Every structure is written in C-alpha cells, then in structure tokens.
Amino acid sequence: MEPALASSLGRIGELGVGLLLDLGLDQGMDLGLNHWLEFAPIATLDPGLDPSLTLSGLGQLLQSENGVLRIALLLFPFALLVELPLTLVMLLGVLRWKVRELSLPPKQSLYRPRVSCLITCYGEGAALQRCLLSLCEQTYPGEIELIPVLDGAAANPRSLAALRGFAVTPEIYPKRRLRPLLKWQRGGRVSSLNAGLAMSTGTIILALDGDTSFDNTMVAAVVRHFEDPDVPAVAGCLRVRNSWESLATAIQAIEYLISIQMAKIGLAEWNLVNNISGAFGAFRRSILVQIGGWDTHSAEDLDLTLRIKSYFGRHRHLRIPFEPRAIGHTDGPTSFRGLLKQRLRWDGDLLFLYGYKHAASISPRQMGWPNFIMTVVSGLFVQLVLPFMILGSSAAILLLLPWRAALALGALVYAVYLLWVLLNFIAMLILVSDRPLEDLRLLPVLVVFPLTMFGLRCWSAVAILNELLRRSHEDSAMAPWWVLNRANRF
C-alpha cells in the first residue's frame, strides 16, 4: 500500500506544481521534475490520456472536457463536496436575510416580559462590573433582573469585591433589579446556571458570561423574537472585544465574524442554527423547565441546543432564530497556547456529545430531516472525521513526497483557501458587518488565517483522541472533580 500511496501523492504533487506553472507563479524556472520525482503515468488518473505522459499530461487534462473540475476533485475533494455546499447554503441564507432587511420595515413589538439575566462569574474581577453596567444601560423598556452568580466566592476576592462594589440606582436605572447570588463553595458553571434559574422570576432567561459586555439594544433585539410562541430560544451574536491585543485574538476576531456572525445568519434562515453560544444565549423559561435546565459536563451550550432540537422532529413549527443586532463582546485567549487549551476542551466535548450523550437523539425522527442532515454533515463529519483526514493526508504528503513537491502542493492549497476566506470576508463586510470600517482593519490578518485554521483543524484530532482515550470532559476546568464524578456517565 505504501508505494501506491506514494505514487498517488506524487501525481497530486505534480498536478500542484503544474497548476502553479500554469498560473505563472513559477515561469522561467526549470524545476527539473523528472530528475527528482518519479511518477506513475498521469494516465492512471485519467485513462483517456497518453500513458507516456507525465507533467505534460496536465495540459491535456486542463484542455479536456471538465478538466479544471477534475483537477479540483483530485486536489480539493472535501472542499468541493462538503465545505462548498455548506458555504453556499449559508451564503444563500445571508442573501435572503439581506433582501428582507432592505425591503421590509423594521418590526415594532410591544411584547415586554420580564427578563432575567443569569450571569455566571468566577474569576472575572473588575470586568464583571462592565458586564453589569452594560445590562443596566439597555434600552429595553421592560423589567430586567440581574442575577450574577459568583461561583466559589470564598476563593475569588477580586470578583467578590467587584460585585459588592456595584449598585443599581433606581433613579438612574429604573426597572433594573440586582439580585446577586454567592456560592461560597465552587460547584461549576452548570450549577451556577441552575441556581440562577431557580432564583429567577423572568419569562425570558438570558445565560451570559461575566466577562462579556453588550450593546445597549441587545435585550430589546432578542426579546421581540419570543413574541412568537414557536420560538424556544434565540442565539445571540458574539464579537471578540480584545481583537487587537495579539495576533491570536485578531485571528479569533475573523473566525467569530465569519463562523458566528455571518454563518449563523445564513443558517437561521433555514432554521439550522447549530449552537446557542454559552456566553450569550436567550431561552424561554418554560422550555428550560421542561428539559430540566442545564446538565453537567463542560459543553453545556451545545448540549442544551441538541436537547432543544430533539423536539423539532415532533413539533416541526419550532425554530431557533439568530439575532445579529443582539451583540455581545467577549475576550478571546491572548496567546496561541491559551487558544489551543480552549479548543482542546471545546473540540473534545464534541465527541462526547455527538458520539455518546446524544447519539440516540441524532435522528430524523427526533430532529427532523433538515437538522439531522446538517448535524451529520457539519457536526459528525466536518468536526469529528475531517480533522483526521486532514492530519493524515498532511502527514503522508510531508513524509512521502519530495520537499519541493510538498511545498508546491501546500502553496497551491494555501492559495485556494486564502481566496476562499477572502471572498467570505468580503461578503461579511458587505452584507453583514455592523462595524465595517472596524472589521476592515482585520484584512491583513487574513494572510495567516488559513494557516491557523489548518493548525486548529489538526489540533481537533488531538482533542478528539484526548477525549476518546482519557474522557477529558470529566476533568474539565468548568467544574470541580467532585461535581463531575457524581454526574451521569455515558
């Protein structure tokens, strides 16, 4: 098998170099391919070609019927067969949303229920006051109940001092009520959310992180969706607040703009929102009570989303909107080490949730056909299977191809994905961005964005193996070990 694999990869490398030559990227240089790379005849890729041809067969392949498509299928099969269809679904949804936004007047709603904000706090310190102040300053005319739940208050003097130093003045902030809840012993994020839910009195529940601040129109933008009784939850929009603190945060800012702000707008048009962010999600209180609140283990946001979606197959009128005007600002990890540590937890939890806890509920009967297909493709395949394919093929190219062929093929793949990201970024700026001039400053960072996403995709395989071999969700920093050990095992 190894000689056959090496031969196939060699032919792919030849095609990559040939495409670079055809594009004029290496004109005038004699690479001497036949001197340092031995190929099986390129005709094995296409039986209609002359078996004696090697690099010159590329010209025939390009000139043949559907030649470009056939080369693309050789070099980018998963991009064409999986990522491109998903991107088109998303972009069509964005265009549909944009047409409606431009053609219809803004909806006015008189629905003003009491809103309870459950704010999970642990080590935020002074940033907690910024979160509370942004909620007090909401333009929403109804009542807002602020319930900051400080986990492990005895061990968090800075957060405790910030909470005690914040007061809501009724004359300045009418209809705003602060009801802090101190948990002296640490119990984890899920226990904080459930404790806040039991204490809350609002019809609409917002689950928020203590280090996240919000635009002052957030609550009003979210609540209007719940006037429709078929809406059990609303996904909010997140932006990276510290986007210029480091290169790592700038890359995360681009990722959030494309994969959250733009992607969820498009997916919501087809009722296919994949996740309600744990840092910012809105729920109807009745649905939280019905499903038993939040459950243990670390990825409580995706877990809750999948449990809500398990009703979609039986109640096909239910939908989860995404509200792009409800914007929260959160801090991303400032170093690549911190980013890898974060994704080790996030991506490992995907295997636990998709492969164990919710394996039985991922079915058309439970989720309905549209969400079932989207979950299988974007969840099971793209997030759990594709990282191993990318890591394996990359390792084979590096180990089995001559370095010049590997470099040429890598350059071609990088160029294609850079163009892909650039087109998505431009579409985001034109169609979606609420701060286009600010977001435009991120354009130079796109040069390294494909490389970072490639690294994170490979790291996903490590995270999945970590969960598979060590059950890493059971030693998460999101909750102490004595809480996780008492949880249900899957």
Side-chain angles (χ1 to χ4, degrees):
M1 291 299 293
E2 288 188 3
L5 177 59
S7 178
S8 299
L9 291 172
R11 293 194 297 272
I12 293 176
E14 180 189 13
L15 288 175
V17 176
L19 282 177
L20 291 177
L21 289 168
D22 187 68
L23 293 171
L25 298 178
D26 210 3
Q27 290 180 353
M29 289 183 62
D30 182 11
L31 296 180
L33 288 172
N34 290 323
H35 296 287
W36 55 265
L37 184 59
E38 295 181 0
F39 307 103
I42 198 171
T44 58
L45 299 177
D46 193 316
L49 296 177
D50 184 349
S52 65
L53 295 176
T54 55
L55 183 59
S56 60
L58 176 63
Q60 286 190 4
L61 190 57
L62 283 172
Q63 296 172 11
S64 64
E65 185 179 359
N66 299 322
V68 174
L69 177 60
R70 287 149 72 186
I71 291 177
L73 286 172
L74 286 172
L75 296 178
F76 309 99
F78 298 113
L80 290 178
L81 300 177
V82 178
E83 294 189 54
L84 181 59
L86 288 175
T87 302
L88 291 177
V89 169
M90 180 265 293
L91 288 176
L92 287 174
V94 170
L95 289 173
R96 182 186 181 193
W97 169 83
K98 190 66 175 181
V99 168
R100 188 175 64 254
E101 288 291 302
L102 294 176
S103 59
L104 298 178
K107 289 184 177 180
Q108 302 295 327
S109 175
L110 297 177
Y111 181 63
R112 298 173 182 175
R114 178 179 297 171
V115 176
S116 294
C117 299
L118 312 184
I119 307 152
T120 55
C121 319
Y122 183 60
E124 291 79 9
L128 176 58
Q129 292 190 352
R130 179 166 50 178
C131 173
L132 295 172
L133 183 61
S134 69
L135 293 171
C136 287
E137 294 180 341
Q138 293 293 310
T139 59
Y140 178 65
E143 296 181 32
I144 299 180
E145 182 180 54
L146 280 64
I147 306 179
V149 185
L150 181 54
D151 194 22
N156 282 280
R158 291 178 61 248
S159 298
L160 181 59
L163 185 56
R164 285 177 169 171
F166 186 86
V168 177
T169 306
E171 293 78 16
I172 301 176
Y173 303 115
K175 297 185 178 181
R176 305 293 183 260
R177 184 184 179 192
L178 180 64
R179 302 179 63 197
L181 175 59
L182 305 181
K183 294 165 55 192
W184 292 104
Q185 184 177 18
R186 186 171 177 236
R189 175 179 169 83
V190 165
S191 70
S192 296
L193 289 168
N194 285 328
L197 177 62
M199 183 177 175
S200 65
T201 60
T203 304
I204 307 302
I205 305 295
L206 300 186
L208 313 172
D209 276 355
D211 60 355
T212 305
S213 57
F214 304 91
D215 287 358
N216 62 2
T217 58
M218 179 272 289
V219 173
V222 163
V223 167
R224 66 180 182 87
H225 290 281
F226 289 100
E227 192 171 7
D228 182 353
D230 294 332
V231 173
V234 177
C237 180
L238 280 176
R239 294 175 62 97
V240 175
R241 182 170 51 202
N242 60 337
S243 57
W244 289 108
E245 189 169 345
S246 67
L247 179 60
T249 57
I251 289 172
Q252 292 171 78
I254 297 175
E255 183 185 17
Y256 275 50
L257 288 171
I258 294 176
S259 66
I260 294 183
Q261 191 162 2
M262 184 169 73
K264 287 189 177 180
I265 286 176
L267 294 177
E269 288 297 309
W270 317 116
N271 196 20
L272 296 173
V273 170
N274 56 342
N275 190 23
I276 303 169
S277 173
F280 178 18
F283 306 90
R284 194 181 299 276
R285 180 187 182 85
S286 58
I287 189 68
L288 291 176
V289 173
Q290 181 175 345
I291 65 177
W294 286 267
D295 201 0
T296 49
H297 306 301
S298 56
E300 79 291 331
D301 49 357
L302 180 58
D303 173 59
L304 196 65
T305 305
L306 290 174
R307 283 196 282 149
I308 293 175
K309 282 193 172 186
S310 66
Y311 289 88
F312 278 34
R314 291 162 286 171
H315 306 280
R316 299 185 180 182
H317 49 281
L318 294 178
R319 62 188 185 90
I320 298 177
F322 174 75
E323 180 47 69
R325 297 181 191 83
I327 297 178
H329 305 267
T330 188
D331 290 333
T334 57
S335 67
F336 285 104
R337 180 179 180 180
L339 179 60
L340 291 177
K341 185 177 179 180
Q342 179 196 68
R343 301 305 166 92
L344 187 68
R345 175 174 57 85
W346 285 7
D347 296 344
D349 287 341
L350 295 177
L351 175 63
F352 164 65
L353 292 173
Y354 287 129
Y356 298 103
K357 187 171 184 180
H358 292 280
S361 63
I362 300 177
S363 67
R365 181 178 177 273
Q366 296 283 91
M367 309 179 74
W369 276 105
N371 275 283
F372 168 72
I373 294 173
M374 180 58 66
T375 301
V376 169
V377 175
S378 68
L380 294 175
F381 181 77
V382 172
Q383 294 180 316
L384 297 183
V385 178
L386 193 56
F388 289 95
M389 292 183 172
I390 293 174
L391 184 62
S393 61
S394 301
I397 288 172
L398 290 175
L399 294 174
L400 301 177
L401 279 183
W403 70 268
R404 293 183 183 179
L407 183 63
L409 181 58
L412 175 63
V413 173
Y414 166 78
V416 170
Y417 278 97
L418 178 61
L419 177 62
W420 189 313
V421 171
L422 180 61
L423 293 176
N424 277 275
F425 188 78
I426 293 173
M428 182 276 303
L429 286 176
I430 296 174
L431 300 174
V432 170
S433 177
D434 58 305
R435 296 165 171 85
L437 294 180
E438 178 182 334
D439 295 337
L440 184 61
R441 296 173 56 207
L442 294 166
L443 186 62
V445 186
L446 289 180
V447 176
V448 297
F449 185 79
L451 299 175
T452 307
M453 291 299 104
F454 168 77
L456 290 178
R457 278 289 181 88
C458 293
W459 184 249
S460 293
V462 177
I464 293 168
L465 287 175
N466 186 44
E467 165 62 28
L468 184 65
L469 299 175
R470 297 184 57 252
R471 294 181 63 87
S472 58
H473 69 275
E474 292 184 345
D475 55 30
S476 169
M478 299 296 287
W481 63 268
W482 60 83
V483 174
L484 294 176
N485 281 358
R486 296 180 63 182
N488 294 328
R489 290 179 63 89
F490 293 89

